[in-house]
């Protein structure tokens, strides 16, 4: 398991008070959360997200975009999605200053690595995890650039503040003025060893993934807000398999039409989970034996190839038997 990806989840359904709610851009609101008793909040690192429990069976993950050093408050920014499944609509319409919201985390699936230089590529609300990353690398004195795209300038959160603070290191490129981001030009200008961080809509992530394949010396890091299309090695019909829980010795059979997570819950096994679509990393479990059929959008290629952990909400098994550290 890659322990560097996660933070200690110090908050588990702990209720925080909404102390500020304001427009961050057209269609984007910023929420500031604080402990109602004035206590310090957990430490977090750039790239971390927070789970907001917005209702029964309504848990959503939002990247933290405030000041890492400020232990008194946590900030998220939420885009109102036209096809909202309830999360963004609830934040925009139902949440008010003074409300108490249960939260979980912080958790980090998108950690900032050490590198001599950085290229940050953000699409729309994908700017949120980049904001604290930029603050950290700038404080280190590292070389960096931000390429920031969105449909229109009015909908690009924090664009003016970032431009004012960092000047020409920030390239704001709204699509209605500039067209699609010129990824080739940005990537061609990189020096070997540059870490590339990208977050945004799937077409942007897919495009930069493809372009980085042919460029040596570039280390790409992605965060997805929605699950990517998974081409599983198991192309045939799903088959059942057994999951052995190493610590208890119990064996749970996972049928062809259920997930590992559902099978575990059915048998009364306590497992943390949230998104149920392989994007948040909450349900990650250590694999002791067997080969997972990875179908998540969290682990990178090397992490999946290691086969030492899996996201049980979506991933299955390539072998008749998996042993988990449960």
């Amino acid at each position: 398991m890659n322990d560097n990806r996660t933070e200690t989840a110090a908050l588990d359904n702990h209720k925080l008070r909404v102390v500020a709610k304001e427009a961050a851009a057209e269609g984007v609101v910023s929420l500031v959360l604080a402990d109602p008793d004035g206590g310090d909040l957990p430490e977090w690192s750039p790239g971390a997200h927070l789970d907001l429990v917005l209702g029964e069976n309504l848990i959503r993950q939002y990247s933290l975009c405030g000041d890492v050093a400020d232990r008194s408050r946590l900030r998220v920014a939420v885009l109102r999605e036209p096809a909202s499944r309830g999360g963004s609509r609830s934040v925009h319409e139902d949440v008010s200053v003074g409300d108490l919201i249960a939260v979980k985390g912080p958790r980090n699936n998108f950690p900032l690595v050490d590198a001599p230089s950085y290229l940050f590529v953000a699409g729309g609300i994908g700017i949120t995890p980049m904001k604290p990353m930029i603050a950290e690398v700038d404080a280190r004195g590292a070389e960096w650039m931000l390429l920031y795209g969105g449909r229109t300038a009015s909908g690009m959160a924090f664009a003016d503040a970032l431009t004012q603070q960092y000047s020409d290191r920030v390239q704001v490129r709204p699509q209605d003025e500039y067209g699609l981001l010129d990824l080739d030009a940005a990537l061609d200008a990189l020096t070997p060893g540059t870490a590339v961080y990208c977050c945004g809509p799937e077409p942007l992530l897919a495009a930069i993934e493809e372009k980085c394949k042919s460029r040596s010396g570039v280390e790409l890091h992605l965060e997805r807000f929605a699950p990517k299309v998974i081409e599983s090695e198991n192309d045939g019909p799903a088959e059942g398999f057994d999951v052995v829980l190493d610590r208890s010795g119990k064996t749970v059979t996972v049928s062809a039409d259920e997930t590992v997570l559902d099978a575990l819950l059915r048998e009364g096994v306590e497992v943390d989970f949230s998104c149920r679509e392989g994007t948040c990393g909450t349900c990650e479990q250590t694999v002791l034996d067997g080969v997972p059929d990875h179908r998540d959008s969290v682990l990178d290629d090397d992490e999946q190839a290691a086969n030492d952990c899996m996201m049980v909400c979506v991933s299955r098994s390539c072998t008749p038997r998996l042993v988990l550290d449960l």
Side-chain angles (χ1 to χ4, degrees), residues 199-279:
C199 185
E202 183 59 31
L204 172 63
L205 301 183
I208 201 166
E209 250 185 329
E210 185 61 31
K211 292 178 183 297
C212 283
K213 288 179 181 178
S214 60
R215 289 173 166 86
S216 60
V218 172
E219 184 180 344
L220 178 62
H221 305 266
L222 302 177
E223 182 168 61
R224 286 179 158 87
F225 292 140
K228 63 182 178 181
V229 177
I230 304 295
E231 294 182 3
S232 172
E233 293 181 2
N234 294 342
D235 294 329
E239 295 182 355
F241 54 94
D242 288 336
V243 172
V244 178
L245 311 184
D246 185 67
R247 279 183 259 164
S248 68
K250 185 174 184 176
T251 297
V252 176
T253 298
V254 181
S255 67
D257 59 354
E258 68 179 342
T259 65
V260 176
L261 173 62
D262 286 336
L264 294 173
L265 296 176
R266 166 170 53 76
E267 294 298 318
V269 181
E270 292 188 5
V271 181
D272 288 336
F273 66 94
S274 180
C275 72
R276 286 184 173 269
E277 59 183 18
T279 58

Side-chain angles (χ1 to χ4, degrees), residues 1-7 284:
M1 182 183 295
N2 186 345
D3 292 328
N4 293 327
R5 266 201 339 275
T6 58
E7 314 241 347
E284 179 178 338

Side-chain angles (χ1 to χ4, degrees), residues 41-157:
L41 297 174
E43 294 181 353
W44 58 279
S45 57
H49 71 254
L50 191 70
D51 288 10
L52 300 189
V53 183
L54 299 167
E56 188 175 358
N57 298 320
L58 185 60
I59 303 174
R60 295 293 183 266
Q61 296 76 39
Y62 299 109
S63 296
L64 290 168
C65 56
D67 181 356
V68 170
D70 187 354
R71 298 285 302 280
S72 69
R73 54 188 56 205
L74 298 171
R75 181 187 295 270
V76 298
V78 181
L79 171 69
R80 173 145 193 176
E81 297 283 359
S84 172
R85 294 177 297 152
S88 68
R89 181 173 63 247
S90 177
V91 170
H92 279 252
E93 296 181 3
D94 303 330
V95 173
S96 301
V97 172
D99 288 352
L100 291 172
I101 298 179
V103 303
K104 297 181 179 183
R107 181 182 297 272
N108 199 340
N109 301 320
F110 195 41
L112 184 65
V113 300
D114 289 329
S117 57
Y118 299 84
L119 171 65
F120 299 101
V121 181
I125 199 62
I127 190 62
T128 50
M130 307 288 180
K131 192 165 169 283
M133 288 183 177
I134 288 168
E136 177 160 321
V137 300
D138 190 70
R140 293 180 194 167
E143 290 296 320
W144 64 272
M145 288 289 297
L146 168 65
L147 183 60
Y148 182 13
R151 291 190 180 91
T152 63
S154 62
M156 297 172 67

